[in-house]
Amino acid sequence: MKIFKRANRRLQFLLLGTLVGLMGPLPVQAEPDYGFTGVASCGGKVDKKNRKLKLSLGLGNQGDVRKPGVKLAVTASQNGQEYPLRIRKISVKPGKTATINFAWRTKGAGDVGFKAALLAADSATQMDTLSCDVLAQDDGQTPNVDLSGKLWHNNYALDYRDGSQIASLNGAAPQQVTGKLPAYPWLDGNQYLTTDSSDLDYTDARVYSLQTGEQLYQYTFSEYLRGERPSPVSQSVILATWSEDSISTPYALFFDFATEQILDVFEYAGSVIDWLPDGRYLRVSTDGTIRTGIVGGAETATGSLSMPEGRHIGDVSVSPDGKQMLLALAVLAIDDSIDESDLWLANIDGSALKRFTKTKMSNYGVWSPDSGRIAFDIDTGLVCSGYYCAGSCELWYGKTSAADLDGLSETADQRYFRVKDRSGKTRRLGCELQAWTR
């Protein structure tokens, strides 16, 4: 019987060999692709009581993370530190997606980056990586520990006080600066300017030391002063808009309080203007022409801006490092009122223009001292009919690397400011933001 079985097997192999010879070589099965494909997706919810982030990290169009010879490692990074994570569950849809589920206790309020890495079985060879960033939301009682500097604002609802206050981003108590008038600080935050134009025939301007409260300078300008911008290189020089009233032809005024001298003045209707970090100025015209000028000297054309169709320039703000500019571009209604407004970012020569906000209700932005973030408003009162403007205003900030920020919810790219009020409670800061200083 055994001899018959062996002969039968030999006959089977002979027949199989003959069949293979007739059909040609058998197809070679492709090696499985263990790499990540697609874009990482992050989703989850926050356990506010225990400050725990329950998160699902999708790895794109690949389901081979559980194959033999492959190990998966996930790490979290927050506030400059990395933390290995223990994977609780891997859900796989073969050939489609792999989802890792895990929980992680957040380390404060900083944004979190998650990185998944495929490793060979010996953990020595990294095969592929995929990263995504998410927002580590907290219980709402932690200030913005990932930010630095001071926020100068007149958000009355924070403490029900008029005038300007300083909200610290490190959790310190707020500081009252003025009792009524808005304050316009220099970038270092050591001194500030106030202007009173309640009588439109003149403007009373004063410069104070923040630390001592001492009045450093005082000058009375004839007519109307607005849009005050302290110099980045001189503690006594300002740039402002000077005119007979709020609707008359505007003039750019450069003034030195120390010498009480006008350094330069010129009409600039049809353009917007701001300081450059080296003490020169930048001017953008409605046709997109960009010029830089020396105060009291000549202007030079340095670039051009391809204006989005139907948009009109409302303002320009140069980043503290001088590399980018932020533009408020509006769509006007038939009666020249603002129909919608958003913020756009471009390099200082006008190149690489991109839409920064997509709210239709953002009118201004304020740079962080390190040029890495921009605070922006969402003002529903900005949209006006022919008879009135009404609404509320929210304050957000976003990374300059982001685009099309909508202010609908907090993400890794956009957040709102958490600051302390006078009672020590952490609250959300509202409009208006006047400056973000060191």
Side-chain angles (χ1 to χ4, degrees):
M1 179 66 81
K2 290 182 178 180
I3 294 173
F4 174 77
K5 286 183 177 180
R6 289 173 183 171
N8 190 36
R9 287 174 183 170
R10 287 174 183 171
L11 179 60
Q12 289 176 352
F13 281 120
L14 286 172
L15 290 173
L16 180 61
T18 303
L19 182 61
V20 169
L22 292 173
M23 296 178 60
L26 291 174
V28 178
Q29 185 176 1
E31 290 293 327
D33 179 9
Y34 293 119
F36 296 132
T37 59
V39 179
S41 61
C42 299
K45 57 184 180 179
V46 178
D47 179 348
K48 294 184 178 181
K49 181 178 180 180
N50 298 313
R51 298 178 59 82
K52 186 175 290 185
L53 184 67
K54 297 179 180 179
L55 186 127
S56 172
L57 175 64
L59 300 182
N61 188 26
Q62 184 55 247
D64 294 322
V65 295
R66 296 191 300 182
K67 294 290 184 180
V70 176
K71 296 177 67 175
L72 181 66
V74 181
T75 56
S77 59
Q78 186 179 24
N79 301 324
Q81 299 292 323
E82 288 197 353
Y83 309 90
L85 300 180
R86 180 174 176 269
I87 300 173
R88 299 175 61 184
K89 180 182 179 182
I90 300 179
S91 302
V92 176
K93 294 181 180 179
K96 294 185 178 180
T97 59
T99 302
I100 306 169
N101 296 302
F102 55 87
W104 183 68
R105 193 177 299 275
T106 61
K107 314 295 181 181
D111 293 349
V112 184
F114 289 99
K115 181 173 69 174
L118 284 176
L119 308 173
D122 58 4
S123 299
T125 305
Q126 181 171 297
M127 303 170 65
D128 205 350
T129 61
L130 192 60
S131 302
C132 71
D133 296 323
V134 298
L135 176 68
Q137 300 181 24
D138 54 30
D139 58 4
Q141 295 303 306
T142 304
N144 304 86
V145 296
D146 57 328
L147 300 179
S148 62
K150 297 178 179 179
L151 303 175
W152 297 61
H153 69 91
N154 62 353
N155 179 206
Y156 176 81
L158 184 68
D159 279 307
Y160 302 105
R161 289 183 174 229
D162 291 317
S164 291
Q165 294 189 63
I166 297 175
S168 176
L169 288 168
N170 63 8
Q175 178 181 357
Q176 187 78 31
V177 180
T178 64
K180 179 181 178 182
L181 298 173
Y184 305 98
W186 273 255
L187 183 59
D188 60 12
N190 290 329
Q191 63 185 47
Y192 61 92
L193 168 73
T194 65
T195 55
D196 185 357
S197 299
S198 54
D199 187 333
L200 295 182
D201 290 334
Y202 65 89
T203 299
D204 180 64
R206 300 169 188 256
V207 179
Y208 295 92
S209 165
L210 177 64
Q211 183 176 2
T212 65
E214 176 188 2
Q215 179 180 297
L216 304 177
Y217 306 108
Q218 188 277 331
Y219 190 81
T220 301
F221 294 90
S222 62
E223 302 172 340
Y224 184 54
L225 208 67
R226 65 186 186 277
E228 302 86 341
R229 304 186 185 204
S231 166
V233 296
S234 171
Q235 296 294 93
S236 62
V237 174
I238 65 164
L239 161 65
T241 298
W242 187 31
S243 61
E244 291 184 7
D245 50 50
S246 60
I247 59 175
S248 298
T249 301
Y251 290 83
L253 173 71
F254 296 85
F255 183 80
D256 188 344
F257 282 97
T259 61
E260 298 189 351
Q261 296 293 317
I262 294 176
L263 304 178
D264 203 352
V265 61
F266 52 83
E267 182 181 334
Y268 75 106
S271 61
V272 290
I273 189 170
D274 192 24
W275 288 107
L276 289 167
D278 60 5
R280 296 178 299 153
Y281 64 86
L282 177 135
R283 182 149 69 118
V284 185
S285 301
T286 53
D287 64 0
T289 302
I290 301 171
R291 297 179 177 87
T292 58
I294 299 172
V295 177
E299 288 186 348
T300 304
T302 55
S304 62
L305 191 70
S306 298
M307 198 70 62
E309 185 177 356
R311 295 277 171 174
H312 300 265
I313 298 180
D315 195 16
V316 65
S317 177
V318 177
S319 62
D321 63 10
K323 296 179 180 179
Q324 292 182 292
M325 58 179 169
L326 184 70
L327 299 144
L329 302 181
V331 175
L332 302 182
I334 297 177
D335 61 356
D336 286 338
S337 63
I338 295 177
D339 193 33
E340 63 178 76
S341 178
D342 268 302
L343 304 178
W344 299 65
L345 268 173
N347 292 332
I348 206 68
D349 63 357
S351 62
L353 179 68
K354 70 172 183 178
R355 189 170 184 167
F356 181 64
T357 65
K358 199 172 184 180
T359 68
K360 297 185 179 182
M361 295 176 285
S362 294
N363 190 45
Y364 73 91
V366 178
W367 288 91
S368 65
D370 65 359
S371 302
R373 292 174 173 83
I374 297 171
F376 62 94
D377 71 323
I378 301 179
D379 188 354
T380 59
L382 180 67
V383 181
C384 305
S385 70
Y387 303 97
Y388 67 93
C389 301
S392 61
C393 183
E394 296 180 354
L395 192 62
W396 292 77
Y397 70 90
K399 298 178 180 178
T400 55
S401 58
D404 294 336
L405 299 180
D406 55 20
L408 296 178
S409 62
E410 289 195 292
T411 68
D413 287 328
Q414 61 181 17
R415 299 186 67 178
Y416 55 78
F417 291 105
R418 295 174 174 86
V419 299
K420 297 286 187 181
D421 64 13
R422 298 183 70 83
S423 68
K425 183 179 179 180
T426 299
R427 299 181 59 192
R428 180 174 178 174
L429 183 64
C431 304
E432 300 284 338
L433 184 63
Q434 295 154 340
W436 190 343
T437 65
R438 302 188 185 104

